[in-house]
Coordinates of all heavy atoms in Angstrom, one line a residue:
M1 N -83.8 37.3 32.5 CA -83.3 38.3 33.2 C -81.8 38.8 32.6 O -81.1 37.9 32.1 CB -83.1 37.9 34.6 CG -84.2 37.9 35.5 SD -84.2 39.3 36.7 CE -82.9 38.7 37.8
M2 N -81.6 40.0 32.6 CA -80.5 40.5 31.9 C -79.3 40.6 32.9 O -79.5 40.9 34.2 CB -80.7 41.8 31.3 CG -81.8 42.1 30.4 SD -82.3 43.7 30.1 CE -80.8 44.5 29.2
W3 N -78.2 40.4 32.5 CA -77.0 40.7 33.4 C -75.7 41.1 32.6 O -75.8 40.9 31.3 CB -76.5 39.5 34.2 CG -76.2 38.2 33.4 CD1 -77.0 37.3 32.8 CD2 -74.8 37.7 33.1 NE1 -76.3 36.3 32.2 CE2 -75.0 36.5 32.4 CE3 -73.6 38.3 33.4 CZ2 -74.0 35.7 32.0 CZ3 -72.4 37.6 32.9 CH2 -72.7 36.3 32.3
L4 N -75.0 42.1 33.1 CA -74.0 42.7 32.3 C -72.6 42.0 32.4 O -72.0 41.8 31.4 CB -73.7 44.0 32.8 CG -72.8 45.0 32.0 CD1 -73.3 45.0 30.4 CD2 -72.6 46.3 32.7
R5 N -72.2 41.6 33.7 CA -71.0 41.0 33.7 C -70.9 40.5 35.1 O -71.6 40.5 36.0 CB -69.9 42.0 33.6 CG -69.8 43.1 34.6 CD -68.6 43.9 34.6 NE -67.6 43.1 35.3 CZ -66.3 43.4 35.0 NH1 -65.8 44.4 34.4 NH2 -65.3 42.7 35.5
E6 N -69.7 39.5 35.3 CA -69.7 38.9 36.6 C -69.2 39.9 37.6 O -68.6 41.0 37.2 CB -68.6 37.8 36.4 CG -69.2 36.5 35.7 CD -68.1 35.5 35.4 OE1 -66.9 35.7 35.9 OE2 -68.5 34.5 34.8
C7 N -69.6 39.7 38.8 CA -69.3 40.8 39.9 C -67.8 40.8 40.1 O -67.2 39.7 40.5 CB -70.0 40.4 41.1 SG -69.6 41.3 42.5
P8 N -67.1 41.9 40.0 CA -65.7 42.1 40.3 C -65.4 42.0 41.8 O -64.2 41.8 42.2 CB -65.4 43.4 39.7 CG -66.5 43.8 38.9 CD -67.7 43.2 39.5
F9 N -66.5 42.0 42.5 CA -66.4 42.1 44.0 C -66.3 40.9 44.7 O -65.4 40.6 45.5 CB -67.4 43.0 44.6 CG -67.3 43.5 46.1 CD1 -66.3 44.3 46.4 CD2 -68.2 43.0 47.0 CE1 -66.1 44.9 47.7 CE2 -67.9 43.4 48.3 CZ -67.0 44.3 48.6
D10 N -67.0 40.0 44.2 CA -66.9 38.6 44.8 C -66.7 37.5 43.8 O -66.6 36.4 44.1 CB -68.3 38.3 45.5 CG -69.5 38.2 44.6 OD1 -69.4 38.3 43.4 OD2 -70.7 38.2 45.2
D11 N -66.6 37.7 42.5 CA -66.4 36.8 41.4 C -67.3 35.7 41.3 O -66.9 34.6 40.9 CB -64.8 36.3 41.6 CG -63.8 37.3 41.4 OD1 -64.1 38.1 40.4 OD2 -62.8 37.4 42.1
Q12 N -68.5 35.8 41.9 CA -69.4 34.8 41.9 C -70.7 35.3 41.2 O -71.4 34.7 40.4 CB -69.8 34.2 43.3 CG -68.6 33.5 43.9 CD -68.8 33.0 45.3 OE1 -69.9 33.0 45.6 NE2 -67.8 32.6 46.0
G13 N -71.3 36.5 41.8 CA -72.6 36.9 41.3 C -72.5 37.6 39.9 O -71.5 37.6 39.2
L14 N -73.7 37.9 39.6 CA -73.8 38.7 38.3 C -74.4 40.1 38.4 O -75.3 40.3 39.4 CB -74.9 37.8 37.4 CG -74.4 36.4 37.0 CD1 -75.5 35.8 36.3 CD2 -73.1 36.4 36.2
L15 N -73.9 40.9 37.7 CA -74.4 42.4 38.0 C -75.6 42.5 37.0 O -75.5 42.4 35.8 CB -73.3 43.4 37.6 CG -72.0 43.2 38.4 CD1 -71.0 44.5 38.0 CD2 -72.2 43.2 39.9
R16 N -76.7 42.9 37.6 CA -78.0 43.1 36.9 C -78.4 44.5 37.0 O -78.1 45.3 38.0 CB -79.1 42.2 37.4 CG -78.6 40.7 37.4 CD -79.8 39.8 37.9 NE -79.4 38.4 38.1 CZ -79.4 37.5 37.1 NH1 -79.8 37.9 35.8 NH2 -79.1 36.3 37.2
P17 N -79.2 45.0 36.0 CA -79.8 46.4 36.2 C -80.8 46.4 37.3 O -81.7 45.4 37.3 CB -80.4 46.7 34.8 CG -80.6 45.3 34.2 CD -79.7 44.4 34.8
V18 N -80.8 47.4 38.1 CA -81.6 47.5 39.2 C -82.4 49.0 39.3 O -81.8 49.9 38.7 CB -80.9 47.3 40.5 CG1 -79.9 48.4 40.7 CG2 -81.8 46.9 41.7
I19 N -83.6 49.1 39.9 CA -84.1 50.3 40.1 C -84.1 50.6 41.6 O -84.5 49.8 42.4 CB -85.7 50.3 39.6 CG1 -85.7 50.0 38.2 CG2 -86.4 51.5 40.0 CD1 -85.2 51.1 37.3
P20 N -83.5 51.7 42.2 CA -83.0 52.9 41.4 C -82.0 52.4 40.3 O -81.1 51.7 40.7 CB -82.5 53.8 42.5 CG -83.1 53.4 43.7 CD -83.3 51.9 43.6
L21 N -82.0 53.2 39.2 CA -81.2 52.7 38.1 C -79.7 52.7 38.4 O -79.1 53.8 38.5 CB -81.5 53.5 36.8 CG -80.9 52.7 35.7 CD1 -81.7 51.7 35.2 CD2 -80.5 53.6 34.5
S22 N -79.1 51.6 38.3 CA -77.8 51.3 38.5 C -77.4 49.8 38.4 O -78.3 49.2 37.7 CB -77.2 51.7 39.9 OG -78.1 51.1 40.8
L23 N -76.3 49.3 38.7 CA -76.2 47.8 38.7 C -76.0 47.2 40.1 O -75.4 48.0 40.9 CB -74.9 47.5 37.8 CG -75.0 48.0 36.4 CD1 -73.6 48.0 35.8 CD2 -75.9 47.0 35.5
M24 N -76.5 46.1 40.2 CA -76.3 45.4 41.6 C -76.1 44.0 41.3 O -76.6 43.3 40.5 CB -77.8 45.5 42.4 CG -77.7 44.9 43.8 SD -79.3 45.0 44.7 CE -79.1 46.7 45.3
C25 N -75.2 43.5 42.2 CA -74.8 42.1 42.1 C -76.0 41.2 42.8 O -76.6 41.5 43.9 CB -73.6 41.8 42.8 SG -73.2 40.1 43.2
D26 N -76.4 40.1 42.2 CA -77.4 39.3 42.5 C -77.0 38.4 43.8 O -77.8 37.6 44.3 CB -78.1 38.5 41.4 CG -77.1 37.5 40.8 OD1 -75.9 37.4 41.2 OD2 -77.6 36.8 39.9
T27 N -75.7 38.5 44.1 CA -75.2 37.5 45.1 C -74.8 38.4 46.4 O -75.4 38.0 47.4 CB -74.0 36.7 44.6 OG1 -74.5 35.8 43.6 CG2 -73.5 35.7 45.7
C28 N -73.9 39.2 46.2 CA -73.4 40.0 47.4 C -74.2 41.3 47.7 O -73.9 42.0 48.7 CB -72.0 40.3 47.2 SG -71.5 41.3 46.0
G29 N -74.9 41.8 46.7 CA -75.8 43.1 46.9 C -75.0 44.3 46.6 O -75.5 45.4 47.0
S30 N -73.8 44.2 46.1 CA -73.1 45.5 46.0 C -73.7 46.1 44.9 O -74.3 45.7 44.0 CB -71.5 45.1 45.7 OG -71.5 44.3 44.5
V31 N -73.6 47.5 44.9 CA -74.1 48.4 43.9 C -73.1 49.1 43.1 O -72.0 49.5 43.8 CB -75.1 49.5 44.6 CG1 -75.5 50.5 43.6 CG2 -76.4 48.8 45.3
W32 N -73.1 49.3 41.9 CA -72.3 50.0 41.0 C -73.0 51.0 40.2 O -74.1 50.9 39.6 CB -71.8 49.1 40.0 CG -71.3 47.7 40.7 CD1 -72.1 46.7 41.0 CD2 -70.0 47.4 40.9 NE1 -71.3 45.8 41.7 CE2 -70.0 46.0 41.6 CE3 -68.8 48.0 40.7 CZ2 -68.9 45.4 42.1 CZ3 -67.6 47.2 41.2 CH2 -67.7 46.0 41.9
C33 N -72.7 52.3 40.5 CA -73.6 53.5 40.1 C -73.7 53.5 38.5 O -74.8 53.9 38.0 CB -72.8 54.8 40.5 SG -72.7 54.9 42.3
T34 N -72.7 53.2 38.0 CA -72.7 53.3 36.4 C -71.9 52.0 35.9 O -71.3 51.4 36.6 CB -72.1 54.5 35.9 OG1 -70.5 54.4 36.0 CG2 -72.5 55.7 36.5
P35 N -72.3 51.6 34.5 CA -71.7 50.6 33.9 C -70.0 50.7 33.9 O -69.4 49.8 34.1 CB -72.2 50.7 32.5 CG -73.5 51.2 32.6 CD -73.5 52.2 33.8
D36 N -69.7 52.0 33.8 CA -68.2 52.3 33.8 C -67.6 51.9 35.2 O -66.6 51.3 35.3 CB -67.9 53.7 33.6 CG -68.1 54.1 32.1 OD1 -68.1 53.1 31.2 OD2 -68.0 55.3 31.7
D37 N -68.3 52.1 36.2 CA -67.9 51.8 37.5 C -67.6 50.2 37.7 O -66.9 49.8 38.3 CB -68.8 52.3 38.7 CG -68.9 53.7 38.9 OD1 -67.9 54.5 38.3 OD2 -69.6 54.2 39.7
A38 N -68.6 49.5 37.1 CA -68.6 48.1 37.1 C -67.5 47.5 36.4 O -67.3 46.3 36.7 CB -69.9 47.6 36.5
S39 N -66.8 48.3 35.7 CA -65.5 47.8 35.0 C -64.3 47.8 35.8 O -63.3 47.3 35.6 CB -65.2 48.4 33.6 OG -65.0 49.9 33.9
S40 N -64.4 48.4 37.0 CA -63.3 48.6 38.0 C -63.9 48.0 39.3 O -64.8 48.4 39.8 CB -63.1 50.1 38.1 OG -62.1 50.2 39.2
G41 N -63.1 47.1 39.8 CA -63.5 46.3 40.9 C -63.5 47.1 42.2 O -64.0 46.5 43.3
D42 N -63.0 48.3 42.3 CA -62.8 48.9 43.6 C -63.9 50.0 43.7 O -63.8 50.8 44.8 CB -61.5 49.6 43.7 CG -61.1 50.6 42.7 OD1 -62.0 50.8 41.7 OD2 -60.0 51.1 42.7
R43 N -65.0 49.9 43.0 CA -66.0 50.9 43.0 C -67.4 50.5 43.5 O -68.3 51.1 43.4 CB -66.3 51.7 41.7 CG -65.0 52.4 41.3 CD -65.3 53.4 40.1 NE -64.2 54.1 39.7 CZ -64.0 54.8 38.6 NH1 -65.1 54.8 37.8 NH2 -62.9 55.4 38.2
A44 N -67.4 49.3 44.2 CA -68.6 48.7 44.7 C -68.9 49.4 45.9 O -68.1 49.7 46.8 CB -68.4 47.2 45.0
I45 N -70.3 49.6 46.1 CA -70.8 50.1 47.3 C -71.9 49.0 47.8 O -72.6 48.7 47.1 CB -71.6 51.5 47.1 CG1 -70.5 52.5 46.4 CG2 -72.1 52.0 48.3 CD1 -71.2 53.6 45.8
V46 N -71.7 48.8 49.1 CA -72.7 47.7 49.7 C -73.6 48.6 50.6 O -73.1 49.0 51.6 CB -71.9 46.6 50.5 CG1 -73.0 45.7 51.0 CG2 -71.0 46.0 49.6
P47 N -74.9 48.8 50.1 CA -75.8 49.5 51.0 C -76.0 48.8 52.3 O -76.2 47.7 52.4 CB -77.1 49.6 50.0 CG -76.6 49.2 48.8 CD -75.5 48.3 48.9
E48 N -76.1 49.8 53.3 CA -76.4 49.2 54.6 C -77.5 49.9 55.4 O -77.6 51.1 55.1 CB -75.0 49.2 55.5 CG -73.9 48.4 54.8 CD -72.7 48.5 55.7 OE1 -72.5 49.4 56.6 OE2 -71.9 47.5 55.5
P49 N -78.1 49.2 56.2 CA -79.3 49.9 57.0 C -78.5 50.8 58.0 O -77.4 50.6 58.3 CB -79.8 48.7 57.7 CG -78.8 47.6 57.8 CD -77.9 47.8 56.5
P50 N -79.3 51.7 58.4 CA -80.8 52.0 58.1 C -81.1 52.8 56.9 O -82.1 52.8 56.6 CB -81.1 52.8 59.4 CG -80.0 53.8 59.7 CD -78.7 52.8 59.5
D51 N -80.0 53.6 56.3 CA -80.4 54.3 55.1 C -80.2 53.7 53.8 O -80.8 54.1 52.8 CB -79.6 55.7 55.2 CG -78.1 55.4 55.3 OD1 -77.7 54.3 55.3 OD2 -77.4 56.4 55.1
W52 N -79.4 52.6 53.8 CA -79.3 51.9 52.5 C -78.8 52.7 51.3 O -79.3 52.6 50.2 CB -80.6 51.0 52.1 CG -81.1 50.3 53.1 CD1 -82.2 50.4 54.0 CD2 -80.8 48.9 53.3 NE1 -82.4 49.3 54.7 CE2 -81.6 48.3 54.4 CE3 -79.9 47.9 52.8 CZ2 -81.3 47.0 54.9 CZ3 -79.7 46.8 53.2 CH2 -80.5 46.4 54.3
S53 N -78.1 53.7 51.6 CA -77.8 54.7 50.7 C -76.5 54.3 49.8 O -75.6 53.7 50.3 CB -77.5 56.1 51.1 OG -76.2 56.1 51.8
A54 N -76.6 54.5 48.4 CA -75.5 54.4 47.5 C -75.8 55.2 46.3 O -77.1 55.3 45.9 CB -75.4 52.9 47.2
C55 N -74.9 55.8 45.6 CA -75.1 56.6 44.4 C -76.1 57.6 44.5 O -76.9 57.9 43.6 CB -75.5 55.6 43.3 SG -74.6 54.1 43.1
G56 N -76.4 58.1 45.7 CA -77.4 59.2 45.9 C -78.8 58.7 45.8 O -79.7 59.3 45.9
N57 N -79.0 57.4 45.9 CA -80.2 56.7 46.0 C -80.4 55.9 47.3 O -79.4 55.8 47.9 CB -80.5 55.8 44.8 CG -80.6 56.6 43.5 OD1 -81.1 57.6 43.4 ND2 -79.6 56.0 42.7
T58 N -81.5 55.3 47.5 CA -81.8 54.4 48.5 C -82.1 53.0 48.1 O -83.0 52.8 47.1 CB -83.0 55.0 49.4 OG1 -82.7 56.2 49.9 CG2 -83.3 54.0 50.6
Y59 N -81.4 52.0 48.5 CA -81.6 50.7 48.1 C -82.2 49.8 49.2 O -81.5 48.8 49.5 CB -80.1 50.2 47.5 CG -79.7 50.9 46.4 CD1 -79.0 52.1 46.5 CD2 -80.1 50.4 45.1 CE1 -78.7 52.8 45.3 CE2 -79.6 51.1 44.0 CZ -79.0 52.2 44.1 OH -78.5 52.9 42.9
N60 N -83.3 50.2 49.7 CA -83.8 49.4 50.7 C -84.4 48.1 50.1 O -84.9 48.2 48.9 CB -85.1 50.2 51.2 CG -85.7 49.5 52.4 OD1 -86.1 48.3 52.3 ND2 -86.1 50.2 53.5
P61 N -84.1 47.0 50.7 CA -84.5 45.8 50.0 C -86.0 45.7 49.7 O -86.3 44.8 48.8 CB -84.1 44.7 50.9 CG -82.9 45.3 51.7 CD -83.3 46.8 51.7
D62 N -86.8 46.4 50.4 CA -88.3 46.3 50.3 C -88.7 47.1 49.0 O -89.7 46.8 48.5 CB -89.0 47.0 51.5 CG -88.8 46.0 52.8 OD1 -88.4 44.9 52.7 OD2 -88.9 46.6 53.9
T63 N -87.9 48.0 48.6 CA -88.4 48.7 47.4 C -87.5 48.5 46.2 O -87.9 48.9 45.1 CB -88.4 50.3 47.8 OG1 -87.1 50.7 48.2 CG2 -89.4 50.6 48.9
T64 N -86.3 48.0 46.3 CA -85.3 48.0 45.2 C -85.8 46.8 44.5 O -86.1 45.7 45.1 CB -83.9 47.8 45.8 OG1 -83.5 48.9 46.5 CG2 -82.9 47.5 44.7
R65 N -85.7 46.9 43.2 CA -86.2 45.6 42.2 C -85.3 45.6 41.0 O -84.8 46.7 40.6 CB -87.7 45.8 41.9 CG -88.1 47.1 41.1 CD -89.4 47.0 40.7 NE -89.8 48.3 40.0 CZ -89.4 48.7 38.7 NH1 -88.8 47.8 38.0 NH2 -89.8 49.8 38.2
W66 N -85.3 44.5 40.3 CA -84.6 44.4 39.1 C -85.2 45.3 37.9 O -86.5 45.5 38.0 CB -84.3 43.1 38.6 CG -83.7 42.1 39.6 CD1 -84.3 41.1 40.2 CD2 -82.3 42.3 40.1 NE1 -83.3 40.6 41.1 CE2 -82.3 41.1 41.1 CE3 -81.3 43.1 39.9 CZ2 -81.2 41.0 41.7 CZ3 -80.2 43.1 40.6 CH2 -80.1 42.0 41.5
A67 N -84.5 45.9 37.2 CA -85.0 46.8 36.1 C -85.5 45.9 34.9 O -85.0 44.8 34.7 CB -83.9 47.8 35.5
T68 N -86.6 46.5 34.1 CA -87.1 45.8 33.0 C -86.1 46.2 31.8 O -85.5 47.1 31.8 CB -88.5 46.1 32.7 OG1 -88.5 47.5 32.5 CG2 -89.3 45.8 34.0
R69 N -86.4 45.4 30.7 CA -85.5 45.8 29.5 C -86.1 47.2 29.0 O -85.2 47.9 28.5 CB -85.9 44.8 28.4 CG -85.4 45.0 27.1 CD -85.5 43.8 26.2 NE -84.6 42.8 26.6 CZ -83.3 42.8 26.2 NH1 -82.8 43.8 25.6 NH2 -82.5 41.8 26.6
D70 N -87.3 47.6 29.0 CA -87.8 48.9 28.7 C -87.0 49.9 29.6 O -86.7 50.9 29.0 CB -89.3 49.0 29.0 CG -90.1 48.3 27.8 OD1 -89.4 47.9 26.8 OD2 -91.2 48.2 27.9
E71 N -86.9 49.8 30.8 CA -86.3 50.8 31.8 C -84.8 50.8 31.3 O -84.2 52.0 31.4 CB -86.5 50.3 33.2 CG -87.8 50.5 33.6 CD -88.2 49.9 34.9 OE1 -87.5 48.9 35.4 OE2 -89.1 50.4 35.7
V72 N -84.2 49.8 31.1 CA -82.8 49.7 30.7 C -82.7 50.6 29.4 O -81.6 51.5 29.1 CB -82.3 48.4 30.4 CG1 -81.0 48.5 29.7 CG2 -82.1 47.6 31.7
A73 N -83.6 50.4 28.4 CA -83.6 51.1 27.2 C -83.9 52.6 27.4 O -83.1 53.4 26.8 CB -84.6 50.6 26.2
Q74 N -84.7 53.0 28.3 CA -84.9 54.3 28.5 C -83.8 55.1 29.1 O -83.5 56.3 29.0 CB -86.2 54.5 29.5 CG -87.5 54.3 28.9 CD -88.6 54.1 29.9 OE1 -88.5 54.3 31.1 NE2 -89.7 53.6 29.5
A75 N -83.0 54.3 29.8 CA -81.7 54.8 30.5 C -80.7 55.1 29.4 O -79.6 55.7 29.8 CB -81.2 54.0 31.6
G76 N -80.8 54.6 28.2 CA -79.8 54.7 27.3 C -78.7 53.5 27.3 O -77.6 53.7 26.8
W77 N -79.1 52.6 28.0 CA -78.1 51.5 28.2 C -78.3 50.2 27.4 O -77.6 49.2 27.6 CB -78.2 50.9 29.8 CG -77.6 51.9 30.8 CD1 -77.2 53.3 30.6 CD2 -77.6 51.8 32.2 NE1 -76.9 53.8 31.7 CE2 -77.0 52.9 32.8 CE3 -77.8 50.7 33.0 CZ2 -76.8 53.0 34.0 CZ3 -77.5 50.8 34.4 CH2 -77.1 51.9 35.0
S78 N -79.2 50.4 26.4 CA -79.4 49.3 25.4 C -78.2 48.7 24.8 O -78.1 47.5 24.5 CB -80.4 49.7 24.4 OG -81.7 50.0 25.1
D79 N -77.2 49.5 24.5 CA -76.1 49.2 23.7 C -74.8 48.5 24.5 O -73.9 48.1 24.0 CB -75.4 50.3 23.0 CG -76.3 51.0 21.9 OD1 -77.4 50.3 21.6 OD2 -76.2 52.2 21.6
L80 N -75.2 48.4 25.8 CA -74.2 47.7 26.6 C -74.2 46.2 26.3 O -75.2 45.7 25.8 CB -74.5 47.8 28.2 CG -74.5 49.4 28.6 CD1 -74.7 49.5 30.0 CD2 -73.0 49.9 28.4
P81 N -73.0 45.5 26.4 CA -73.1 44.0 26.0 C -73.8 43.2 27.0 O -73.1 42.3 27.7 CB -71.5 43.7 26.1 CG -71.0 44.7 27.1 CD -71.8 45.9 26.9
W82 N -75.1 43.2 27.1 CA -75.9 42.5 28.1 C -75.9 41.0 27.7 O -75.8 40.6 26.6 CB -77.4 43.0 28.0 CG -77.5 44.3 28.5 CD1 -77.7 45.5 27.6 CD2 -77.5 44.8 29.8 NE1 -77.8 46.7 28.4 CE2 -77.6 46.3 29.7 CE3 -77.1 44.3 31.0 CZ2 -77.7 47.1 30.8 CZ3 -77.2 45.1 32.2 CH2 -77.5 46.5 32.0
H83 N -76.0 40.2 28.6 CA -76.3 38.9 28.5 C -77.6 38.6 28.8 O -78.2 39.3 29.5 CB -75.4 38.0 29.5 CG -73.9 38.3 29.3 ND1 -73.0 37.5 28.5 CD2 -73.1 39.2 29.8 CE1 -71.8 37.9 28.5 NE2 -71.8 39.0 29.3
E84 N -78.1 37.6 28.2 CA -79.6 37.3 28.5 C -79.8 35.8 28.9 O -79.3 35.0 28.4 CB -80.4 37.5 27.1 CG -81.9 37.5 27.3 CD -82.4 38.8 28.0 OE1 -82.0 39.9 27.6 OE2 -83.1 38.7 29.0
E85 N -80.7 35.7 29.9 CA -81.1 34.3 30.3 C -82.5 34.1 29.9 O -83.3 34.9 29.8 CB -81.0 34.2 31.9 CG -79.7 34.3 32.5 CD -79.7 34.7 34.0 OE1 -80.6 35.1 34.5 OE2 -78.7 34.2 34.6
S86 N -82.8 32.7 29.7 CA -84.1 32.4 29.1 C -85.1 32.4 30.2 O -86.2 32.4 29.8 CB -84.0 31.0 28.5 OG -83.5 30.1 29.4
T87 N -84.8 32.5 31.4 CA -85.7 32.3 32.5 C -86.5 33.7 32.6 O -86.0 34.6 33.2 CB -85.1 32.1 33.8 OG1 -84.0 32.9 34.1 CG2 -84.6 30.6 33.9
Ligands
ZN1 ZN1 -71.1 40.4 44.0

């Protein structure tokens, strides 16, 4: 699984690419619309029920999933300094 950086919001989780395409913390669930947003700790959005909206998308836990490497490439995000886990 890919991750970009540690979460600036909780300093514990990792920001991973998610579909709808953006970044999401694997611990606190905060969403960052773009990688640039993730470089500034005050731009986190925590989607909440019932609409789960953030970044003009819907982040319902039932439909939101982590992005694949191919989807990251299609988004033009391949050149970001991703970290890679072996799992
Ligand atoms: Zn977090």
